[in-house]
Amino acid sequence: MPHPAVEQAMAGLIARNPGESEFHQAAHEVLDSISPVLEKYPEFVTARILDRLIEPDRQIMFRVAWFDDAGVPQVNRGFRIQFNNVLGPYKGGLRFHPSVKLGTIKFLGFEQIFKNALTGLPIGGAKGGSDFDPHGRSDNEVMRFCQSFMMELFRHVGADTDVPAGDIGVGEREIGYLFGQYKRLAIAFTGVLTGKGLLWGGSLARKQATGYGLVYFATRMLAARRMEWHGLRVVVSGSGNVAIYAAEKAQRLGARVVAMSDSGGYIYDPNGIDIGLMRSVKEDRRARISAYAAERTGVEYHAGCTGIWSVPCDVALPCATQNELDGDGAQALIANGCKVVAEGANMPCTPEAVRAIQAAALSFGPGKAANAGGVATSLLEMAQNSQRLQWTFDEVDNKLHSIMNGIYDQCAEAADDFGEPGNLVLGANAAGFVKVARAMMAQGLV
Ligand code: NDP
């Protein structure tokens, strides 16, 4: 039975945020597992921490108007949800994708609060973005859109206030245009965005950080089952920033990544992905993943992305988008003997998938813990910007590695403390929530 405070908070959230199903799902996932925490800390209930936590500090929504290359005016919607800054300045990515709506940004911002708390670093939770689709747009169109987007956003962000980063559809190109416009408006060269280019304030290893961090986290999950990467078959969905560097690191550790995807389809490469070719197709040429199959022998291309979960593997790393792995996908993984599922994307597994994976005693690593390496390294980028220094790749990578080990340890220990050893969903939610709740108690009713 959920704690009554959980039921009250969830009912309030649904009533005040109608139709925002992704936000409902993300909140339910967290609230569902923290009843034992509320039993242990009744003071959180008295202070109505849950009701306060599910209401964002600030929700900013604005029109983004820009001219396309044909001179035709275009209109998009921009968002920034500053969810909770009790642990530090707001921090969280910007997503540019046509599916983005208010509920998407709220779900991502809510997750970000706990993820950032788990890193142990001083950062609060936020998220933003737009329904703008950079696919098929020229560089000039992307630049004009980013400049218009920043015209509004710059009033709300700052190195000590709110520091956005990239996410789906926002890579170094977009961060560059956003940064250039911020710099012009604010007359200040500060670390207001992370994911910057290496020549202008970026951090070495930031590009790799989410994917590498995911693999460091999954290494601990494997070790708990007395397994290591060597010889394992791995399926990685997506072929964007997170997916490419997760695949690269898994292969460097001796695994064979046999399948990857994009929103059009997936490729099966039984000999193991050629990372150089994948980067050339997806990063340099911004082409479809079918081009990879066309350029390498022995590779199959299948249209449609959900079929990827029927490729037999030992480890599955969903790294594309929310709700991409459903109950059927989970059953296919289980039937084929998969042992570990770790989320590189945010909420890629549906609740049915998570239940099936846990019921079949596979190890499951929730995204808010497993993919926290990106935001953690963003904080390392902010630290370098404040120091006016650039650390070496190994320095950053070593720090990332120890942060991911720390996150795993916190999750495993919290799962033990609350009586469900190995349940990293409970562990991540409980450990993140307790930190945020304690800080909220200390800072009073604001
Ligand atoms: P990218 O834009 O670099 O890549 C996204 C990938 O997912 C692309 O291969 C894209 O294919 C695919 N994709 C997008 N939408 C869908 C869909 N509806 N169905 C199937 N595939 C889809 O994004 P990132 O790699 O940065 O982000 C991926 C996930 O990781 C997101 O959930 C993000 O929130 C999360 N994340 C990212 C972090 C980061 O540091 N970048 C940090 C923590 C989490 P296509 O090219 O066809 O659109």
Side-chain angles (χ1 to χ4, degrees):
M1 269 298 278
H3 191 288
V6 166
E7 291 188 323
Q8 177 190 313
M10 204 56 223
L13 181 143
I14 291 169
R16 290 166 106 170
N17 304 274
E20 297 178 1
S21 56
E22 290 166 337
F23 181 36
H24 301 173
Q25 182 185 335
H28 194 267
E29 191 267 341
V30 173
L31 269 55
D32 205 30
S33 60
I34 56 169
S35 290
V37 182
L38 299 177
E39 298 291 346
K40 184 170 174 184
Y41 300 101
E43 63 272 30
F44 294 164
V45 178
T46 311
R48 293 191 64 191
I49 292 291
L50 280 189
D51 300 296
R52 291 158 56 189
L53 192 55
I54 57 177
E55 185 64 22
D57 290 352
R58 205 164 291 102
Q59 307 186 42
I60 302 147
M61 207 158 109
F62 49 98
R63 181 179 62 244
V64 187
W66 54 284
F67 282 113
D68 68 15
D69 284 347
V72 177
Q74 299 288 334
V75 180
N76 288 97
R77 183 172 283 180
F79 304 93
R80 187 70 181 165
I81 306 279
Q82 298 177 331
F83 226 114
N84 185 297
N85 67 350
V86 78
L87 296 180
Y90 300 108
K91 183 96 197 82
L94 297 172
R95 175 175 294 189
F96 292 169
H97 193 273
S99 64
V100 165
K101 43 196 183 304
L102 185 60
T104 316
I105 303 298
K106 275 192 208 160
F107 118 64
L108 290 162
F110 187 70
E111 286 275 296
Q112 199 79 43
I113 304 170
F114 306 100
K115 180 187 309 196
N116 293 3
L118 285 171
T119 66
L121 301 168
I123 29 180
K127 201 80 187 189
S130 173
D131 57 359
F132 170 72
D133 186 1
H135 283 103
R137 290 292 179 188
S138 70
D139 286 351
N140 278 336
E141 288 178 316
V142 172
M143 181 177 72
R144 284 194 293 273
F145 171 81
C146 287
Q147 291 177 340
S148 184
F149 184 86
M150 187 51 88
M151 275 307 281
E152 174 67 30
L153 189 70
F154 101 102
R155 299 173 211 287
H156 310 286
V157 296
D160 295 316
T161 312
D162 182 355
V163 183
D167 190 78
I168 291 179
V170 180
E172 188 178 322
R173 175 182 62 170
E174 290 75 16
I175 294 289
Y177 296 146
L178 292 164
F179 183 74
Q181 184 73 346
Y182 179 85
K183 189 168 59 63
R184 174 161 71 167
L185 292 165
I187 322 183
F189 192 112
T190 65
V192 68
L193 289 153
T194 56
K196 299 187 289 299
L198 292 176
L199 287 175
W200 38 279
S203 173
L204 287 157
R206 173 61 188 90
K207 186 164 71 169
Q208 292 82 357
T210 308
Y212 279 22
L214 170 66
V215 171
Y216 296 147
F217 190 90
T219 303
R220 297 292 305 276
M221 295 170 69
L222 286 167
R225 302 180 74 105
R226 299 185 199 291
M227 291 171 71
E228 52 181 43
W229 288 100
H230 197 77
L232 297 184
R233 293 158 308 164
V234 181
V235 164
V236 179
S237 65
S239 48
N241 174 258
V242 180
I244 286 179
Y245 293 98
E248 178 182 87
K249 180 55 89 176
Q251 292 207 150
R252 284 197 185 161
L253 294 174
R256 192 157 39 96
V257 176
V258 292
M260 292 183 76
S261 60
D262 65 15
S263 57
Y266 73 94
I267 51 119
Y268 172 60
D269 187 346
N271 296 316
I273 297 286
D274 176 338
I275 297 288
L277 176 58
M278 185 60 76
R279 288 185 57 187
S280 157
V281 170
K282 298 304 288 188
E283 287 186 347
D284 303 339
R285 288 182 266 158
R286 297 178 186 271
R288 308 308 301 157
I289 205 167
S290 50
Y292 176 98
E295 292 174 34
R296 186 165 149 92
T297 48
V299 179
E300 295 169 17
Y301 173 73
H302 300 267
C305 28
T306 49
I308 195 170
W309 308 118
S310 56
V311 175
C313 64
D314 305 291
V315 177
L317 303 176
C319 294
T321 193
Q322 63 268 22
N323 292 326
E324 52 162 321
L325 201 178
D326 62 10
D328 291 343
Q331 293 301 348
L333 288 172
I334 295 162
N336 285 325
C338 179
K339 300 287 185 295
V340 167
V341 179
E343 295 184 322
N346 286 309
M347 207 170 74
C349 298
T350 64
E352 297 71 37
V354 177
R355 275 196 293 276
I357 289 165
Q358 290 184 319
L362 276 64
S363 302
F364 179 74
K368 67 171 69 67
N371 73 29
V375 72
T377 308
S378 278
L379 195 280
L380 301 180
E381 181 175 329
M382 290 162 69
Q384 292 168 77
N385 293 161
S386 300
Q387 288 184 319
R388 306 279 192 260
L389 289 176
Q390 192 174 56
W391 304 338
T392 65
F393 188 98
D394 286 348
E395 233 174 320
V396 179
D397 191 32
N398 289 339
K399 286 186 166 68
L400 166 67
H401 203 150
S402 72
I403 289 168
M404 295 314 295
N405 277 333
I407 294 174
Y408 181 87
D409 289 339
Q410 284 176 70
C411 296
E413 280 162 24
D416 287 349
D417 285 352
F418 287 101
E420 294 190 35
N423 184 345
L424 300 177
V425 173
L426 167 64
N429 288 338
F433 175 73
V434 168
K435 281 188 194 185
V436 174
R438 282 197 171 134
M440 287 174 73
M441 297 286 289
Q443 292 176 22
L445 181 60
V446 290

